[in-house]
Amino acid sequence: MLPLTDHSIHSTLVTLVTVILLGGTLSLLVSHLGRSRPGFAIGRPVAFAFGIRVIAATLISLTPMAQTLRGGDELTFLSHAEGVVRSVSASDEWTHTLLRELHVFVLAAQRYVFDSPELALRVTQVGIAVVGMVLLAAAVYELAGPRASVLAMWLLAFEPASIFFSSLLHKEANLMLAIGLIALGGAKIWKRGEPSSLIPIVAGCLIAVATRHYAGWFLIAASAAAVGHAGLRAENRTAIRSLSLVALVILFAAVAAPTVLSASTNESLEKNLQPSQEANASDNSNLKLEQVDFSTRGAIVVNLPRRIPDVLLRPFPWQLGNISQGIGLFGTVAAYFTFFFVIRAAFRRRGEIMTRAGPLIYLGFFLLIAYSLSAGNAGTAFRYRTQIVSVLICVFAALWRPVEHTRSAKVARSAQQRLTPQLSDPEPSVPRSLSVGREERATTVDPAAIRSGAERSVSRAKRIPRGSLLASLRSVRDAGRRIEYMRARRSGPLGTRPPVGLAVCAIFRNEARYLAEWVTFHRIQGVERFYLYNNQSTDDWRSELGPEIASGVVEVTEWPHEPGQLSAYDDCLERHRADTRWIGMFDIDEFLFSPTGAPLPEVLRRFDTHPGVVVNRRFFGTNGHRRPPDGLVTESYPMRSRDDDPSNVLVKCIVYPRMTLGAQNAHYFRFRGNPVDEDGAPALLMTREPATTELLRINHYYAKSEEEFQHKLVSPRADFGVVTDRMGIPPDEVRDEAILQFRPQLIGALASREVGHRRRSTVPE
C-alpha cells in the first residue's frame, strides 16, 4: 500500500477531479448534440469509451513495461512541457507552444494550473480523444441517421489501437479532436449547405496545424475538397449558398497556392521531407520500411503508391519482435477487419458512396496521403493508421445497410398472409351502426387494393438466387434505377434545390371548421406549403384559410372528381415534382409530428437518399363527445386505442415527388426504389410492424364526436367514391398527450391569425 503523503493525496484528488470534469463535459456535449438530433443515443458507448480508456491507461501505468510500450517521445514532450512551465507566464515560449506545439501546451497548462500528475494528464488526453469520437459519431448522424451514429460510436469505443493511443502523451488526441470537428462541419455542409458549419472546420484545421502541421495542411485540403463538392451538389442547396461555398474554396486555393508551391519545390522536399524519410527507414528496427525517394514532385508521384499499402497494412501480423508489437497485433487485426467491411459496404452501396459518406471519404483520403509521405517506420505508421481506421469505421457506419432483402421479403409475405383472410369474401358488407367493440372492427382499405399492393410488394421483394441470369438482369435494372435516381436528384441547374422543402397534400370536403387548426399546427412543425384539393365543399372554407391563401402558403385546387383522392395525389405529384422536396400525403383529420419535438424538416434530413418515408399512426376515438366540442381537436381528444391495435400497422407516406410514380392507394405509393420507415428499414407494404412511432407519428382523429362519426359512416370514401364498411370507433384505452407539447405554440399562432370571421369553435386561452 502506498504511503499517504501530501503529494499522493494531491495527485489522487487532481486525477479524480479531472475524471469528473471530463466525464461531465462529455455528458454535456452528448446532451447538447442530442437536442437537435433525435435518436442520437450514444451516451452508453461514450461512457464505455471513456471508462475503458481511463482503466487501460491506469493499468498500463502500473506495469514495469509502461515506458517500453509507450515509447520515448512522451519523455521528450513532458520535458518540453516542464520547460514551458518554468518560463515566464505569457512569454514567447508559451505562445510558441500554443501555435506550433499545441500538444505540449495542453500538458504544460495542466502542470502549471493543477500540477497534474501523469495519470491526470493521460485522462485529459483520453477526454480529448473521446470528444473527437463523439463529433465523428455526430457527423455520421448528419450523413446517415441515428442508428448509423450509434453503430459508429460503439465501434470507435471498441477499436483496440485507439484504446491504447488515446492516453498517450502525444499528438494523437489533438488530431482526433481536429478530425472530429472537421468531419462534423463537413457533414453539416454536405447535407445542409450552411456556411456557419465552416466554424468547426476552421477550428479543427487550426488545432491540426498547431499540433502536427503537415497533417493539418492536408486536413485543410480535405476540408476544401469537401466544401467545394458540397457547393456543387444540387440537393438541398440554394444558388447563393452554393456559389458562396465554391467561391470560398477558390479563394482559399488562390491564397494557399504560393505556399503549397513553395513547400513542394525540389529544394524544399530535399531539405525537409527526404531526410526524415531516410532517418526512419534506415534504422535497425524490424519495423523499418523500405526507403523511397520523395525528393522531387515527380518522385512523389511515382513512389507514393508504394508507401500507401505500407501505412494501411503494416506491421504485418507476424512481425512480433517484442511485447509492444505483440499487443499491436490486436490493432492490426482490427484494421484488417475494418478494411474488409468498408470494402464490402462500399460495394453494396456503390451507387451512394459519396452521397452517404462524401466528407469522410475526403478526410480519410487526405490523411492517408499525409501519413504515407511522412511514415518511414511501421511502428509510426501503425500509430498514424489509428486515425485513418477511425474515419473508415465512420465510413462503414454511414454505408451500413441494416436490413437485407431477405428480411424484407419475409415481412412482405407475412403481411400478405395476415391480409389474405380479409380478401376471401368478395361481397361488400353494408354500413353498420355505431360500434365500439374491438371484435367488430374491420380494415379501412379496399380488398382489391390490398391484394394488388401486397402481391406487387412480395414480387418486388423476392430474392433471386445469385449467379442466375435473372440475378444479373436484376443487377442491371437496379443500377439503372440508381443512375436514374441520382439524375433526378440533380435535374435542376447547378447549385439549385427545390424551393419548397416540405409540403402537405390533402383533399377535403366540408371540413372548414378544422382547417385553420390543421394548417397552423403543421406550419409549427415546419411545413412550408399546403397543396389542398377542394372536393365539392359547401361550407365557408375560403374565409377559414384566407390569411394563408393570401400569403401563398396554401394553394387550393378545385377538384370535383368522384372519387377524387388518388387522382388528386397524382395531380399534386405532377405539378410539384420539380419545386418541392418532400410532400406528406395524408388527411385533414391526421396530424403529423415528431414525438421528439424536432421540426419535421430536421427529422427528414436523415432520409435524404430515399424516395419516401412511411409513418405509422395512432387512432383516437370519441372521448365521450356526442356532439363536436368547443376547443382544439388536438386537445379535445386525448384518449386513443392501445399501441398493439391492428389498425396502427397501416401507414401514410411522405414522398419525394421526383422519385414517386403515383398513388397505389391512400396509404402507399409506387416508387422508383424502396421507401423506408423511421428506422431506415425498407418499407415494401402499406403496413408496417411493429408499428413504432418514436421518431415520426400521425395522430389520426378518426371518429371525433359520435355525431360526426355517424355522418362519416354514410358518406362516400374519398379514395373510392362509394359508401363502404368502416371500422368501429377506436376504444378510449390510453391517455396520450404527446401532441400537447405544441399547445402553447398552436394557441399563440391561432390567436395571431387574421381570419375573416370568428372560428366556429372557441380556442381556449
Side-chain angles (χ1 to χ4, degrees):
M1 181 176 178
L2 294 176
L4 288 177
T5 65
D6 290 344
H7 177 72
S8 64
I9 294 174
H10 172 268
S11 297
T12 302
L13 289 176
V14 170
T15 301
L16 288 176
V17 169
T18 304
V19 170
I20 293 171
L21 287 176
L22 289 170
T25 300
L26 287 169
S27 178
L28 290 174
L29 176 62
V30 172
S31 176
H32 174 73
L33 292 173
R35 289 174 187 169
S36 58
R37 295 171 176 83
F40 189 57
I42 65 169
R44 291 175 62 186
V46 169
F48 177 85
F50 182 67
I52 195 173
R53 282 159 175 76
V54 171
I55 294 172
T58 304
L59 295 178
I60 292 174
S61 295
L62 296 176
T63 64
M65 61 190 71
Q67 195 56 57
T68 302
L69 292 175
R70 288 166 170 160
D73 287 345
E74 281 194 337
L75 297 177
T76 301
F77 295 141
L78 278 173
S79 175
H80 190 180
E82 293 292 350
V84 175
V85 171
R86 289 192 295 269
S87 66
V88 179
S89 300
S91 64
D92 291 342
E93 188 73 14
W94 283 94
T95 304
H96 173 79
T97 55
L98 175 63
L99 299 179
R100 301 298 300 272
E101 297 176 284
L102 184 59
H103 55 294
V104 174
F105 180 88
V106 172
L107 300 176
Q110 293 174 87
R111 288 287 205 195
Y112 182 81
V113 177
F114 303 111
D115 192 20
S116 298
E118 179 185 313
L119 184 57
L121 297 178
R122 297 191 187 282
V123 171
T124 301
Q125 297 296 299
V126 168
I128 294 172
V130 175
V131 168
M133 296 176 196
V134 172
L135 297 175
L136 278 171
V140 174
Y141 182 100
E142 295 290 334
L143 295 169
R147 297 180 67 181
S149 68
V150 174
L151 173 65
M153 192 64 230
W154 275 115
L155 293 176
L156 290 170
F158 276 103
E159 206 279 303
S162 173
I163 292 175
F164 176 76
F165 287 121
S166 292
S167 62
L168 210 61
L169 304 182
H170 214 289
K171 305 176 181 180
E172 312 314 314
N174 282 7
L175 262 296
M176 183 61 71
L177 174 60
I179 290 169
L181 286 167
I182 295 170
L184 178 57
K188 291 173 69 176
I189 282 186
W190 192 262
K191 301 300 284 188
R192 308 182 193 179
E194 298 173 352
S196 61
S197 301
L198 290 170
I199 295 175
I201 292 179
V202 172
C205 291
L206 291 176
I207 291 172
V209 170
T211 301
R212 185 176 281 149
H213 66 278
Y214 63 87
W217 281 105
F218 276 91
L219 288 176
I220 291 174
S223 303
V227 171
H229 191 163
L232 295 175
R233 297 180 75 228
E235 186 77 10
N236 291 330
R237 303 292 182 267
T238 63
I240 294 177
R241 286 181 178 177
S242 295
L243 292 175
S244 65
L245 291 176
V246 175
L248 184 65
V249 173
I250 293 174
L251 178 62
F252 165 78
V255 172
T259 303
V260 174
L261 292 174
S262 175
S264 61
T265 61
N266 292 346
E267 294 78 7
S268 178
L269 294 173
E270 183 71 34
K271 178 181 178 181
N272 299 314
L273 182 60
Q274 190 60 31
S276 63
Q277 181 65 217
E278 293 173 353
N280 287 327
S282 60
D283 61 23
N284 295 322
S285 170
N286 69 318
L287 298 182
K288 69 178 182 180
L289 302 177
E290 293 77 10
Q291 183 173 334
V292 294
D293 181 15
F294 286 158
S295 60
T296 64
R297 294 170 183 167
I300 289 177
V301 173
V302 173
N303 295 318
L304 183 61
R306 293 173 50 195
R307 181 62 83 223
I308 289 176
D310 292 336
V311 173
L312 292 176
L313 303 177
R314 297 179 68 171
F316 296 120
W318 54 85
Q319 293 182 287
L320 306 175
N322 53 47
I323 188 171
S324 177
Q325 295 171 16
I327 295 175
L329 173 64
F330 293 100
T332 297
V333 172
Y336 288 179
F337 273 105
T338 300
F339 300 152
F340 169 76
F341 283 108
V342 167
I343 293 172
R344 183 170 177 264
F347 178 78
R348 291 186 172 186
R349 292 274 196 178
R350 53 192 176 274
E352 309 171 66
I353 295 175
M354 294 304 294
T355 299
R356 295 185 66 89
L360 299 174
I361 297 293
Y362 284 120
L363 200 55
F365 174 76
F366 280 95
L367 274 176
L368 179 59
I369 299 300
Y371 289 142
S372 297
L373 289 172
S374 60
N377 180 285
T380 304
F382 179 85
R383 177 157 45 85
Y384 293 162
R385 186 179 65 197
T386 304
Q387 298 161 25
I388 300 172
V389 169
S390 296
V391 174
L392 290 179
I393 284 173
C394 294
V395 171
F396 165 72
L399 298 177
W400 175 57
R401 190 189 300 273
V403 180
E404 299 295 335
H405 291 298
T406 51
R407 179 180 169 190
S408 301
K410 291 179 181 178
V411 171
R413 286 193 295 270
S414 175
Q416 186 185 34
Q417 291 168 1
R418 290 196 307 273
L419 293 171
T420 298
Q422 302 177 25
L423 310 181
S424 58
D425 184 10
E427 295 297 327
S429 58
V430 296
R432 64 172 177 269
S433 61
L434 196 66
S435 172
V436 298
R438 180 180 298 276
E439 68 278 5
E440 295 185 36
R441 300 178 69 181
T443 181
T444 62
V445 295
D446 180 65
I450 295 176
R451 180 184 293 109
S452 61
E455 290 174 351
R456 277 195 294 269
S457 298
V458 172
S459 175
R460 185 167 63 245
K462 285 182 180 178
R463 188 175 182 84
I464 300 174
R466 293 182 179 179
S468 68
L469 176 61
L470 287 178
S472 301
L473 293 175
R474 180 177 178 180
S475 298
V476 173
R477 181 204 66 185
D478 290 343
R481 284 181 175 176
R482 279 190 290 271
I483 294 173
E484 186 178 12
Y485 185 176
M486 301 306 291
R487 288 181 59 191
R489 294 179 63 202
R490 291 161 175 79
S491 60
L494 183 66
T496 65
R497 70 170 180 89
V500 178
L502 174 61
V504 169
C505 175
I507 188 170
F508 67 93
R509 178 186 292 178
N510 295 331
E511 296 182 277
R513 64 181 297 118
Y514 302 115
L515 290 175
E517 179 187 354
W518 186 81
V519 168
T520 304
F521 176 86
H522 286 102
R523 293 188 71 181
I524 293 172
Q525 307 308 312
V527 177
E528 301 173 38
R529 293 287 188 278
F530 297 81
Y531 306 135
L532 303 185
Y533 287 75
N534 174 35
N535 188 228
Q536 307 178 45
S537 295
T538 57
D539 56 8
D540 192 13
W541 58 267
R542 286 184 177 82
S543 61
E544 290 294 324
L545 293 176
E548 288 81 7
I549 293 175
S551 64
V553 171
V554 170
E555 300 176 13
V556 180
T557 301
E558 292 296 330
W559 203 254
H561 309 290
E562 193 77 45
Q565 186 173 34
L566 302 187
S567 59
Y569 284 170
D570 290 340
D571 180 77
C572 182
L573 289 172
E574 289 299 323
R575 288 173 183 256
H576 301 289
R577 288 193 191 281
D579 63 15
T580 306
R581 177 61 181 87
W582 293 107
I583 302 180
M585 302 288 193
F586 50 91
D587 301 326
I588 304 298
D589 60 356
E590 296 175 319
F591 289 70
L592 171 68
F593 66 103
S594 174
T596 66
L600 293 175
E602 185 175 292
V603 175
L604 290 172
R605 286 193 187 102
R606 74 197 58 192
F607 305 110
D608 188 44
T609 59
H610 301 288
V613 186
V614 302
V615 184
N616 284 101
R617 300 178 292 174
R618 292 294 181 264
F619 281 69
F620 291 73
T622 63
N623 285 243
H625 296 296
R626 291 190 172 276
R627 295 178 59 82
D630 293 333
L632 304 175
V633 171
T634 51
E635 190 176 35
S636 301
Y637 301 92
M639 302 296 293
R640 63 170 174 82
S641 60
R642 298 197 306 264
D643 288 340
D644 60 357
D645 188 293
S647 300
N648 292 336
V649 302
L650 288 163
V651 301
K652 286 297 182 77
C653 291
I654 306 171
V655 306
Y656 180 14
R658 291 182 184 174
M659 299 305 296
T660 306
L661 300 176
Q664 181 170 297
N665 51 57
H667 297 268
Y668 201 79
F669 289 72
R670 300 186 304 278
F671 298 93
R672 296 174 181 171
N674 291 329
V676 295
D677 61 21
E678 67 176 25
D679 294 325
L684 306 180
L685 290 168
M686 69 178 72
T687 60
R688 171 181 175 263
E689 292 186 72
T692 59
T693 56
E694 297 173 357
L695 186 61
L696 288 168
R697 169 177 173 174
I698 289 177
N699 277 11
H700 189 187
Y701 297 94
Y702 179 75
K704 296 193 179 77
S705 67
E706 291 182 8
E707 177 182 300
E708 291 167 292
F709 185 69
Q710 287 283 11
H711 178 72
K712 186 173 191 173
L713 288 175
V714 296
S715 299
R717 291 172 57 108
D719 48 354
F720 302 122
V722 295
V723 177
T724 64
D725 188 20
R726 296 179 184 266
M727 72 179 189
I729 296 176
D732 299 335
E733 298 171 311
V734 177
R735 188 172 186 85
D736 186 336
E737 297 181 348
I739 201 169
L740 294 185
Q741 62 181 300
F742 306 105
R743 181 182 182 276
Q745 295 171 266
L746 179 58
I747 291 177
L750 286 171
S752 64
R753 292 178 76 250
E754 297 180 4
V755 296
H757 60 79
R758 291 181 59 87
R759 196 167 177 270
R760 288 177 59 185
S761 59
T762 304
V763 179
E765 296 298 331

